[in-house]
Amino acid sequence: MSIDRTTHLRRLEAESIRIIREVAAEFRNPVMLYSIGKDSSVMLHLAMKAFYPSKPPFPLMHIDTTWKFRDMILFRDETARRLGLDLIVHSNMDGIAQGVTPFSHGSSYYTHVMKTEALKAALTKYGFDAAFGGARRDEEKSRAKERVFSFRTATHTWDPKNQRPELWQLYNGRVAKGESIRAFPLSNWTELDIWQYIMAENIPIVPLYYAAERPTVERDGQILMLDDERFPVAAGETVETRLIRFRTLGCYPLTSAFESEATTLPEIVREMLIARTSERSGRLIDHDDAASMEKKKREGYF
Amino acid sequence: MNTSASPAAMATPSVASPVESPEAFAEYLAAQEKKSLLRFLTCGSVDDGKSTLIGRLLYDTKLVFEDHLLALEKDSRKHGTTGEEIDLALLLDGLEAEREQGITIDVAYRFFTTERRKFIVADTPGHEQYTRNMATGASTSDVAVLLVDARHGIVTQTRRHSFIVSLLGIRHVIVAVNKIDLVGYDEKIFTQIRQAYQAFAGGFGFKTLTAIPISARYGDNVTARSERMPWYKGPTLLEHLETVDVEEDRASRPFRMAVQWVNRPNLDFRGYSGTIASGRVAPGDTLVVAKSGKASKVKRIVTYDGDLDQAAAGDAVTVTLEDEIDISRGDLLAAANDRPEVADQFAAHLIWMHDEPLFPGRSYLLKCGAKTVTASVTDLKHKIDVNTFEHLAAKELRLNEVTFCNLSLSEPIAFDSYDSNRETGAFILIDRFTNATVGAGMISYGLRRATNVHWQAIDVSKESHAALKAQKPAVLWFTGLSGSGKSTIANIVEKKLHAMGRHTFILDGDNVRHGLNRDLGFTEADRVENIRRVGEVAKLFVDAGLIVLVSFISPFRAERRMARDLVGPGEFIEVYVDTPIEDCEARDVKGLYAKARAGKLKNFTGIDSPYEAPESPEIRLDTTAGTAEEMADRLIESLRERGMIA
Ligand SMILES: Nc1nc2c(ncn2[C@@H]2O[C@H](COP(=O)(O)OP(=O)(O)OP(=O)(O)O)[C@@H](O)[C@H]2O)c(=O)[nH]1
Ligand SMILES: [Mg+2]
């Protein structure tokens, strides 16, 4: 199915391409944060379109917490190979050496060390002055407040009370040495737009988004999938095979699945239409405290 | 709280549910795709109910997820301003500081869909302090919902926001007379406010102006007609938003596309990537590069999904041309038979968005389309009082003020008037040191040189002047605190250069203030103008082939930068005479520090007016390390190393 150029998805596509090109043109050393999920898949697809017939003039970077689903890592490497793009994989080695895991240290500390700190260290290490992220404003209330070109200090912090005005589509990409911009080409997309676009453009996504029989346990009312032997099954918990899929993909012990029979894109979209909870309700780290996303973002998280 | 309806149920209340059959699903998708998009903002004074209104719209259209509703109930208990009831504003006010203070600080963008349309809404802050965030939300909107508290009627902030809305080119306004529940649903009050608004907004060029009495808190006339106001016969807010016609048909305007990125994968392909701002384009069309006037025909319109035989406003494309002509990022491609203006001076409205005021003569970066140049305001024609809309004389422009002014750019750019094209007629100003976005402008018309000042072609060039004197002209710009030793050192240096047979001249701060700059005082605005004039004079002397020694405190980086930009590369030598303020004050040759300390002299640099030390001067003279004579020798030596003198 191809989309008519005057339609909603085409408008969103054009807006994103414009943002992606602007970043490539204005910055010395941009990078695309690639988190392997559906939004990243769409963002990457848009980058391929933006520069065609050239390749995107920047590398991809994945912050690997080492707790990603195995399918995600396979998909990541396969995608970079298929598209012929440079992929940087960065992990916080100190965190690994100290044995920081979501089970041993709690989700909030783990996320801080293995994601936020790792990301900041990688951005500094490679001297990136702009980083694309696939965040959407409809995901969360503090994201709804963020600019398309979102300024970060030299220590990668965000000051939400003091954002640069951003008028029209005249993005201000000026930064001093060490400072950077996080650029969000998908700002105005909704979750439903993402799925409809994936369907219309036939964009490959990680198989975990499709329903399949998988080993799971139920914990605190959430279904968690056992991706490898590192998952500690507690006494009293039983491992059960369930027909499940994911709406959002993060670190596997922190992302909950739900029961579903949707094995095709149209079925996924139809399921989306009757969803009553937000996609973030499947992300355990977001519930830590009320303003937790804003706090993490101020500290440098994406 | 009843939340049984799903978010999607409202989106598709049509007969067959899309989840029921594949046919209904396909139909649903097609219908979604064809819906038009409306971008609007809510604005108006503090606490008039903007965030509550959007919260109400989302809530009543059943677009709030269950977990968000649960969070809202919890938040309302903690931060709510509505007692026992849920506080719908908290769906929008997503920042910690906003929830604590119960106000909106920055714009929130939300998306929702009804049966008829898709919407992007920008919920903007009412506080005057955050006007720039309101302008941010307005700049991409087609409709403004302006809230007025029925109890207070039209207040200054209502007028300010109306003015900004009109300046930014929004042509459709809805006056939502809110909190009608607090005035007993009184028709008279509504009518009064409506009439008062129509009276003052008459000159704003709005195409539609619709007043609706509402209660955001209780939902009257928001998505459903209120039974408590039988006297009101007009549409509900949502009905009006769903039907208001804002079509601008950008595709029927002359073709414009700013080149964002030159696409060069290999030697055989050279394309120009950008988003079409207006008009249409097809292979075979003749386009020009607006600034150079060079023309060529479109060969292909390339996209990832294959070549197009036509593209129009809003499309992101890559075009290739028949001929190899010089095109780079920032160039504006335009229809050959309907071209934009090209000028290095224009008149524009400007909204100032920074705490530090704008001064005429100070240089900023100006971004218009994909082009960034340096620019300064040459003439503040007037500023506009946002309450009375009177034109006032101005020497500077402060936060949230609006002016009509002339700007002068470092090179010509291509543009249209903002009235005729919102994309090619808009610009932002960026501070050259902090990189903050400080101003937003809307171009009115170009100031053509023909109608203003002509350049007289002169046959004896700058190079010939310098050649006759057998020297390299330059500006030695001495900056430093009062009493730091600038004039003393400059004087010795000039004597030495003179003795070496160099043609020199000194411009000294005190002396120039007796003549050329007699009319200027010591306010920040006057200091900027002081330096601008001296910079221009120094440039003329450089053109005459001289080595000019300028000895001015020149406390602001921005102005020194401006003086530097006036002359050629390598011709500006910034000499930082670095003397600690304690030493200057101890010397106090002219007794000025004593006076300033006694409060008898205002705006004295280093005491009650800042000195911004150079970050990377060509030469820094540490006067604590030697005599004035030694400093002069050091400077001469450095000029020799730079090849300025033999
Ligand atoms: N009685 C009544 N109260 C209302 C109505 N609309 C809003 N309010 C209350 O007015 C207060 C301010 O509402 P907000 O929505 O935060 O106002 P705002 O215009 O967004 O304020 P800022 O964004 O800070 O400028 C809240 O306590 C609301 O509950 C209404 O129609 N009737
Ligand atoms: Mg508000």
Side-chain angles (χ1 to χ4, degrees):
Chain A
M1 179 164 97
S2 83
I3 39 183
D4 177 346
R5 283 188 302 117
T6 58
T7 60
H8 178 63
L9 290 177
R10 197 54 83 183
R11 276 193 302 258
L12 287 172
E13 178 186 79
E15 181 184 66
S16 302
I17 288 177
R18 177 183 188 146
I19 295 163
I20 294 171
R21 285 173 174 166
E22 195 65 11
V23 171
E26 288 238 321
F27 291 87
R28 198 177 28 83
N29 190 17
V31 66
M32 181 166 273
L33 267 290
Y34 177 66
S35 71
I36 323 175
K38 60 184 187 305
D39 302 308
S40 281
S41 295
V42 167
M43 180 166 66
L44 182 53
H45 185 73
L46 291 165
M48 297 301 290
K49 288 196 170 194
F51 303 102
Y52 178 84
S54 296
K55 286 269 164 66
F58 41 74
L60 306 180
M61 182 162 80
H62 177 227
I63 300 302
D64 192 349
T65 59
T66 73
W67 288 91
K68 296 292 167 190
F69 292 94
R70 284 172 304 168
D71 268 359
M72 291 174 74
I73 301 301
L74 289 175
F75 183 85
R76 173 193 77 190
D77 296 341
E78 161 57 22
T79 300
R81 224 184 353 259
R82 177 170 53 87
L83 301 177
L85 299 175
D86 287 340
L87 170 71
I88 298 169
V89 176
H90 182 92
S91 299
N92 183 347
M93 289 303 167
D94 291 344
I96 295 173
Q98 287 159 24
V100 177
T101 76
F103 299 112
S104 56
H105 287 73
S107 65
S108 147
Y109 181 76
Y110 158 81
T111 303
H112 182 72
V113 173
M114 298 307 285
K115 288 177 115 171
T116 308
E117 290 302 323
L119 172 64
K120 294 200 287 191
L123 292 173
T124 303
K125 175 177 167 191
Y126 295 98
F128 293 123
D129 54 356
F132 289 102
R136 310 183 321 265
R137 285 173 173 155
D138 84 324
E139 273 178 78
E140 200 273 338
K141 58 187 186 304
S142 67
R143 297 238 199 251
K145 295 267 164 184
E146 193 162 10
R147 301 285 188 254
V148 172
F149 271 37
S150 187
F151 178 78
R152 293 294 185 277
T153 63
T155 53
H156 306 288
T157 56
W158 179 51
D159 182 2
K161 283 199 293 181
N162 207 2
Q163 303 193 83
R164 288 177 178 175
E166 189 170 78
L167 285 97
W168 302 288
Q169 274 144 324
L170 289 173
Y171 303 112
N172 177 354
R174 312 277 309 181
V175 291
K177 203 166 177 316
E179 297 168 347
S180 61
I181 292 287
R182 304 266 173 101
F184 299 107
L186 304 181
S187 287
N188 290 333
W189 294 59
T190 65
E191 188 188 7
L192 191 57
D193 294 329
I194 292 285
W195 282 114
Q196 287 180 218
Y197 189 70
I198 288 173
M199 186 163 82
E201 297 272 308
N202 232 324
I203 301 170
I205 48 169
V206 181
L208 293 161
Y209 285 115
Y210 298 105
E213 303 253 323
R214 298 183 168 107
T216 62
V217 297
E218 203 182 316
R219 184 175 292 173
D220 303 330
Q222 311 247 21
I223 299 175
L224 299 179
M225 173 181 158
L226 276 63
D227 196 50
D228 58 32
E229 65 298 333
R230 292 181 296 175
F231 191 102
V233 180
E237 282 177 347
T238 48
V239 179
E240 265 179 68
T241 300
R242 291 184 171 89
L243 187 58
I244 55 153
R245 65 181 200 87
F246 292 83
R247 196 164 157 196
T248 170
L249 288 174
C251 292
Y252 84 74
L254 300 178
T255 312
S256 66
F258 63 101
E259 292 187 272
S260 161
E261 293 173 9
T263 55
T264 64
L265 282 170
E267 281 165 6
I268 288 175
V269 175
R270 282 162 71 177
E271 218 170 65
M272 266 294 311
L273 295 177
I274 48 170
R276 292 177 184 192
T277 54
S278 74
E279 67 178 306
R280 289 254 149 207
S281 60
R283 289 280 189 116
L284 308 187
I285 54 164
D286 290 352
H287 308 313
D288 292 346
D289 53 88
S292 85
M293 179 58 85
E294 178 186 343
K295 186 160 158 286
K296 287 207 297 281
K297 283 166 65 64
R298 284 203 306 247
E299 290 166 354
Y301 181 76
F302 238 90
Chain B
M1 204 174 309
N2 179 8
T3 59
S4 60
S6 74
M10 176 61 205
T12 56
S14 45
V15 240
S17 160
V19 284
E20 267 161 27
S21 73
E23 296 74 37
F25 179 63
E27 218 170 275
Y28 164 82
L29 286 185
Q32 286 297 308
E33 274 294 278
K34 287 204 198 84
K35 282 179 188 169
S36 66
L37 173 71
L38 184 81
R39 287 174 172 260
F40 71 98
L41 80 151
T42 52
C43 56
S45 190
V46 184
D47 272 353
D48 281 358
K50 300 174 287 297
S51 304
T52 306
L53 176 62
I54 300 308
R56 168 59 65 186
L57 267 172
L58 296 172
Y59 185 78
D60 282 359
T61 49
K62 307 287 187 292
L63 289 165
V64 184
F65 286 121
E66 282 175 9
D67 50 319
H68 289 169
L69 276 178
L70 283 176
L72 176 64
E73 286 173 44
K74 213 172 95 192
D75 285 352
S76 297
R77 265 175 260 133
K78 192 163 158 203
H79 298 296
T81 60
T82 44
E84 289 298 296
E85 296 166 47
I86 54 168
D87 185 348
L88 291 165
L90 291 173
L91 280 175
L92 280 295
D93 291 335
L95 299 176
E96 233 168 58
E98 294 179 325
R99 304 157 92 74
E100 275 158 18
Q101 299 171 40
I103 58 165
T104 304
I105 291 174
D106 212 330
V107 47
Y109 296 92
R110 297 296 296 250
F111 314 93
F112 67 99
T113 302
T114 66
E115 218 183 326
R116 287 168 158 157
R117 252 189 181 156
K118 288 181 183 275
F119 298 92
I120 298 181
V121 50
D123 176 42
T124 71
H127 273 259
E128 181 185 344
Q129 189 188 347
Y130 306 118
T131 303
R132 57 180 171 227
N133 297 335
M134 176 272 174
T136 292
S139 69
T140 50
S141 293
D142 295 313
V143 173
V145 179
L146 184 85
L147 280 88
V148 178
D149 186 325
R151 295 169 302 172
H152 306 138
I154 291 157
V155 295
T156 305
Q157 197 63 347
T158 320
R159 294 164 174 271
R160 182 195 307 272
H161 279 189
S162 301
F163 180 48
I164 292 176
V165 155
S166 121
L167 262 185
L168 286 171
I170 296 177
R171 293 290 165 257
H172 303 274
V173 171
I174 301 168
V175 179
V177 178
N178 189 32
K179 307 197 186 181
I180 198 82
D181 53 292
L182 295 180
V183 296
Y185 308 95
D186 187 343
E187 179 177 11
K188 269 207 276 338
I189 291 182
F190 170 72
T191 310
Q192 265 165 18
I193 293 175
R194 192 192 65 207
Q195 286 169 347
Y197 190 86
Q198 279 166 342
F200 98 81
F204 282 163
F206 298 141
K207 279 190 196 146
T208 68
L209 180 59
T210 309
I212 305 178
I214 64 163
S215 167
R217 182 150 165 193
Y218 300 107
D220 299 75
N221 291 334
V222 178
T223 61
R225 187 159 302 278
S226 169
E227 282 163 15
R228 287 177 283 231
M229 288 172 273
W231 48 265
Y232 175 71
K233 305 282 187 260
T236 64
L237 178 67
L238 186 62
E239 272 166 15
H240 186 63
L241 287 170
E242 282 182 314
T243 50
V244 58
D245 179 14
V246 298
E247 251 344 293
E248 281 199 40
D249 201 13
R250 285 190 297 150
S252 63
R253 306 254 178 83
F255 177 78
R256 302 281 185 265
M257 184 181 100
V259 175
Q260 261 188 304
W261 196 70
V262 178
N263 196 334
R264 201 99 227 261
N266 54 55
L267 291 176
D268 303 327
F269 187 94
R270 179 190 283 271
Y272 306 100
S273 302
T275 300
I276 300 175
S278 62
R280 298 174 185 286
V281 68
D285 287 0
T286 302
L287 300 184
V288 291
V289 181
K291 194 170 146 184
S292 66
K294 296 229 167 64
S296 182
K297 282 203 166 73
V298 175
K299 194 160 145 195
R300 296 169 57 197
I301 303 171
V302 180
T303 78
Y304 177 93
D305 301 298
D307 281 12
L308 305 179
D309 45 21
Q310 184 179 180
D315 291 344
V317 295
T318 296
V319 297
T320 66
L321 301 176
E322 296 286 356
D323 312 279
E324 286 252 334
I325 53 178
D326 185 14
I327 300 177
S328 44
R329 169 169 162 85
D331 278 328
L332 188 64
L333 301 180
N337 57 2
D338 200 340
R339 304 181 187 196
E341 285 193 68
V342 176
D344 62 359
Q345 292 181 45
F346 52 68
H349 280 101
L350 184 66
I351 306 175
W352 195 246
M353 305 189 296
H354 205 254
D355 296 325
E356 198 172 307
L358 163 104
F359 296 113
R362 181 166 280 187
S363 110
Y364 299 93
L365 294 173
L366 180 149
K367 184 171 183 183
C368 177
K371 183 89 187 162
T372 303
V373 297
T374 58
S376 61
V377 169
T378 50
D379 182 17
L380 287 175
K381 292 170 188 277
H382 57 253
K383 65 180 179 189
I384 299 155
D385 183 312
V386 295
N387 198 27
T388 60
F389 311 116
E390 269 176 333
H391 294 180
L392 309 171
K395 275 197 140 185
E396 58 179 38
L397 197 66
R398 298 189 168 275
L399 180 67
N400 299 328
E401 289 186 332
V402 176
T403 181
F404 189 59
C405 61
N406 286 350
L407 286 104
S408 164
L409 320 187
S410 54
E411 56 178 290
I413 63 166
F415 58 86
D416 293 288
S417 73
Y418 187 76
D419 273 350
S420 63
N421 197 320
R422 244 167 123 172
E423 270 204 43
T424 51
F427 64 89
I428 55 170
L429 292 181
I430 300 170
D431 187 281
R432 300 180 65 172
F433 295 96
T434 63
N435 291 320
T437 306
V438 290
M442 287 120 309
I443 302 175
S444 292
Y445 47 84
L447 300 168
R448 248 159 262 136
R449 282 192 180 140
T451 57
N452 292 279
V453 188
H454 295 268
W455 281 102
Q456 183 64 47
I458 296 171
D459 292 329
V460 179
S461 68
K462 173 174 171 182
E463 288 69 30
S464 337
H465 285 131
L468 190 64
K469 300 183 180 71
Q471 67 180 25
K472 283 193 183 164
V475 180
L476 305 181
W477 190 282
F478 294 77
T479 171
L481 294 169
S482 172
S484 58
K486 295 180 299 296
S487 300
T488 312
I489 299 171
N491 202 27
I492 303 174
V493 171
E494 184 177 36
K495 274 197 281 189
K496 292 184 187 247
L497 289 173
H498 190 75
M500 292 158 72
R502 302 290 145 193
H503 299 263
T504 59
F505 196 77
I506 285 196
L507 293 169
D508 188 84
D510 286 345
N511 299 351
V512 173
R513 276 190 178 276
H514 284 297
L516 176 64
N517 290 354
R518 188 168 52 195
D519 56 328
L520 300 177
F522 289 88
T523 62
E524 231 176 302
D526 280 359
R527 282 169 183 261
V528 172
E529 175 61 13
N530 185 35
I531 299 303
R532 189 192 69 79
R533 291 187 197 169
V534 171
E536 291 286 356
V537 173
K539 172 189 152 72
L540 291 175
F541 281 137
V542 166
D543 284 352
L546 297 180
I547 298 173
V548 198
L549 296 89
V550 180
S551 157
F552 272 69
I553 298 174
S554 46
F556 305 124
R557 275 182 209 124
E559 278 65 59
R560 297 194 301 263
R561 177 69 175 261
M562 171 173 77
R564 177 186 292 271
D565 289 348
L566 286 172
V567 295
E571 287 178 344
F572 190 89
I573 310 289
E574 188 171 10
V575 183
Y576 176 27
V577 182
D578 189 3
T579 308
I581 184 152
E582 301 75 42
D583 293 11
C584 298
E585 194 163 357
R587 279 187 221 153
D588 205 6
V589 196
K590 301 173 205 159
L592 297 177
Y593 283 93
K595 269 197 200 165
R597 287 287 181 207
K600 287 186 207 139
L601 204 55
K602 286 269 168 273
N603 298 324
F604 194 74
T605 302
I607 307 290
D608 58 351
S609 180
Y611 178 76
E612 300 170 1
E615 274 161 352
S616 43
E618 273 73 10
I619 301 165
R620 180 177 153 264
L621 298 176
D622 176 2
T623 60
T624 60
T627 63
E629 186 76 23
E630 284 163 357
M631 295 297 124
D633 284 337
R634 178 141 2 127
L635 178 51
I636 300 263
E637 188 46 43
S638 157
L639 293 178
R640 222 174 248 127
E641 281 163 18
R642 285 164 194 278
M644 308 291 298
I645 51 176

